[in-house]
Amino acid sequence: SFPGQAAAAGFTTSTPEEISAPSSPINDALQRLHELGYAERHCRYALDECQGNINSAAEWLTYNAPLEADLPSAAQHTTESGPVVKIGGVAVHAPSVSICLIDDCEDRDIPLAELILHKPQIWHDLHHHHGDGEASCTVSIEYYNRGLSAWEPFLESWKCC
């Protein structure tokens, strides 16, 4: 019989249920990195970046990728085109923003005026079609007095809400 001849030749017979995908070093490394708590896509990218070196990939992940538990729940949902991330709004916070107008006539760079926004905080809600948002800052404008070689106030600090 064929099974008897195959066994005598050193071949083993398996049912389709017993056959599993062959294990490769990359798949093993991917599995080990994924067990550390990182998303599979981050693990694949880290292995690509580190030419398959699992130790370098693990180090790369610790510096560059969040743990799956730290990802927001919306980021864990995926569609056919990839992960879905829902952004609810845009916020901008800065210690100050300064815009300076400069007179560059006659090969001289002399400041004319400066607009300063102190502690600007801007927030815009992206879910509403009519554009809900808030902004606040303190505005001041100064001009450069050439006779005194000093900045002088044009508009004293004014709080805007």
Side-chain angles (χ1 to χ4, degrees), residues 13 16 24 27 32 35-36 40 54 61 71-72 77 83 85 96 105 110-111 115 121-122 131 133 142 147 159-160:
T13 58
S24 72
N27 287 340
R32 288 179 62 197
E35 288 171 358
L36 294 175
E40 186 174 334
I54 190 169
L61 286 167
L71 293 173
H77 299 294
V85 177
S96 68
C105 293
I110 299 172
L115 169 70
Q121 297 184 0
I122 302 167
E142 299 177 338
K159 184 160 178 116
C160 303

Side-chain angles (χ1 to χ4, degrees), residues 94-159:
S96 68
V97 175
S98 176
I99 300 172
C100 186
L101 300 175
I102 296 176
D103 178 6
D104 63 353
C105 293
E106 301 175 10
D107 295 327
R108 292 183 187 174
D109 291 337
I110 299 172
L112 293 176
E114 185 172 36
L115 169 70
I116 305 167
L117 304 175
H118 301 279
K119 296 183 182 176
Q121 297 184 0
I122 302 167
W123 178 80
H124 181 71
D125 184 3
L126 297 175
H127 288 297
H128 293 90
H129 297 292
H130 47 79
D132 285 342
E134 295 178 7
S136 68
C137 68
T138 302
V139 177
S140 64
I141 301 175
E142 299 177 338
Y143 73 95
Y144 189 73
N145 187 333
R146 292 184 192 185
L148 297 175
S149 294
W151 288 99
E152 292 193 35
F154 180 77
L155 174 67
E156 294 287 342
S157 291
W158 180 51
K159 184 160 178 116

